[in-house]
Amino acid sequence: MIKEKKPETALEYIKVSAEYLCKNNIKDARLNAELLLCDVLKCGRMDLYLNFDKPLTKDEVNLFRTFLKRRQSHEPIQYITGKAYFFGYEFKVKRGILIPRPETEILVEKVIQDILQTGRKDVSIFEIGSGSGCISISIIAELIKENVHADIVSIDISDEALNLCEENSKRILQGNNSVRFMKTDIFRLENLPGKFDYIVSNPPYISSSDYLKLEPEVRQYEPEEALTDGNDGLSFFRRIFGIVSKDKFKGKVFCEIGFMQKDSICNLLNETGFLDYIFYKDYAGIDRILEVRI
Ligand code: GLN
């Protein structure tokens, strides 16, 4: 009997672990194996390729094994490595906080484009649902490059999220921190906490029935309250449009919206008397970003 050779080098470990993940129905198994190993070895993918022949130490093998086990049970890779990339920045993430999504980058892009188009050098923004802080922090970081100053108030109900936001903000914005992260429940907020030019949000817009249809990877690991309103998926939009209308807000509202929500959101907007709006599609051709001029 020929005994199978134990893997030794980085490349050998990648091959066996990609097979293992693939057998367990993990999509992009090879990429996942490489990214997890990069994290263990604290190197980029290019360095990994350059060091394919390098044998792994015992500690590295042990850590890699625990990472693979977690990934095999469908834990998102971002929670395992503790980081996610958004708009070119590295955000710390952890269980309990929504992993930033690529679609949300379109929201950030639209807000930034709009601000730059106005030519203004100072702008104030109110964000609802900070999460990892990815939206507010990316907006500020990008605007700094254009010599535009943004003052942002960003609210969330989760202490855990707000702590992580502070951490991400310190690391990414360094000295240039002009985001105020505040613990506030939008449903208890009477008035807007200041005068703002923009309102931005990627709210929990998944309905309770669609929530049950989400991939187990998302449902088991990501925070329910960041994904669904536990209702028809429109509660946050109703609330945001309601406050905006009551407070006589003048400016623009940008929101990320869910699959097939365009028509119901149009109805809500029309009922509230907001008639100047436009939707932008995401990379899959789905109406995803709402811009309202008020
Ligand atoms: N603003 C964060 C994000 O877009 C969190 C959003 C949320 O928790 N619904 O990732």
Side-chain angles (χ1 to χ4, degrees):
M1 195 173 86
I2 305 167
K3 215 172 148 216
E4 221 175 280
K5 188 179 161 284
K6 242 182 103 190
E8 280 170 22
T9 65
L11 181 61
E12 287 162 358
Y13 271 102
I14 289 170
K15 282 186 178 156
V16 288
S17 45
E19 272 169 36
Y20 166 73
L21 292 178
C22 189
K23 270 191 208 132
N24 284 281
N25 299 320
I26 301 294
K27 276 185 240 145
D28 304 319
R30 164 95 188 205
L31 176 65
N32 273 259
E34 287 186 12
L35 292 175
L36 288 173
L37 190 56
C38 282
D39 206 68
V40 169
L41 301 177
K42 306 209 180 334
C43 71
R45 267 173 87 204
M46 195 47 87
D47 299 314
L48 187 67
Y49 292 155
L50 295 173
N51 291 298
F52 264 164
D53 296 334
K54 203 177 144 228
L56 301 193
T57 67
K58 223 171 155 191
D59 286 348
E60 288 165 350
V61 172
N62 286 340
L63 184 61
F64 189 41
R65 279 220 176 95
T66 54
F67 280 7
L68 286 168
K69 260 219 155 76
R70 289 170 67 180
R71 188 66 193 113
Q72 174 262 335
S73 36
H74 291 258
E75 180 169 350
I77 193 160
Q78 293 90 339
Y79 288 150
I80 303 173
T81 60
K83 52 182 181 255
Y85 294 91
F86 183 85
F87 226 90
Y89 302 100
E90 186 187 297
F91 285 84
K92 267 188 104 172
V93 291
K94 59 176 173 186
R95 295 277 295 268
I97 282 102
L98 190 80
I99 298 169
R101 302 293 202 271
E103 295 83 49
T104 312
E105 291 180 337
I106 307 174
L107 172 69
V108 169
E109 203 178 281
K110 293 293 173 198
V111 174
I112 292 170
Q113 264 173 16
D114 200 89
I115 294 171
L116 294 181
Q117 248 171 31
T118 64
R120 54 195 311 162
K121 290 289 167 203
D122 242 304
V123 67
S124 56
I125 304 173
F126 179 48
E127 187 198 11
I128 297 138
S130 327
S132 58
C134 61
I135 296 179
S136 289
I137 294 171
S138 304
I139 291 177
I140 292 196
E142 288 299 302
L143 289 179
I144 287 171
K145 295 184 195 161
E146 306 287 337
N147 283 319
V148 177
H149 176 83
D151 259 313
I152 306 190
V153 174
S154 178
I155 63 166
D156 205 289
I157 45 162
S158 153
D159 284 315
E160 225 187 336
L162 293 166
N163 289 336
L164 198 71
C165 285
E166 293 294 352
E167 225 181 287
N168 279 325
S169 160
K170 250 189 223 124
R171 242 174 1 95
I172 298 169
L173 297 175
Q174 291 161 5
N176 295 302
N177 188 355
S178 50
V179 203
R180 239 183 331 131
F181 291 105
M182 275 175 22
K183 182 169 172 145
T184 305
D185 180 349
I186 185 74
F187 293 95
R188 286 165 184 252
L189 188 73
E190 294 280 335
N191 298 98
L192 291 171
K195 210 170 149 11
F196 300 99
D197 305 306
Y198 289 85
I199 294 178
V200 179
S201 185
N202 172 24
Y205 53 65
I206 297 173
S207 68
S208 45
S209 52
D210 283 347
Y211 177 75
L212 298 174
K213 296 182 216 146
L214 287 178
E215 291 172 61
E217 194 149 330
V218 177
R219 213 150 27 94
Q220 272 168 30
Y221 290 97
E222 295 201 68
E224 186 173 343
E225 69 277 14
L227 290 160
T228 176
D229 61 349
N231 191 3
D232 62 354
L234 298 170
S235 316
F236 281 79
F237 300 112
R238 276 190 207 96
R239 183 70 187 167
I240 294 170
F241 302 157
I243 293 183
V244 160
S245 157
K246 187 173 88 59
D247 257 21
K248 306 200 171 17
F249 166 83
K250 278 256 162 293
K252 280 196 173 174
V253 178
F254 282 85
C255 291
E256 183 171 322
I257 67 161
F259 180 63
M260 303 282 276
Q261 275 181 337
K262 182 181 173 180
D263 289 349
S264 344
I265 288 182
C266 284
N267 287 340
L268 274 183
L269 286 164
N270 297 343
E271 278 166 25
T272 326
F274 298 150
L275 303 175
D276 191 358
Y277 53 81
I278 180 167
F279 293 87
Y280 301 99
K281 292 189 192 305
D282 66 13
Y283 309 113
I286 296 166
D287 288 298
R288 186 62 72 186
I289 309 298
L290 163 71
E291 170 186 339
V292 196
R293 184 200 296 269
I294 297 165

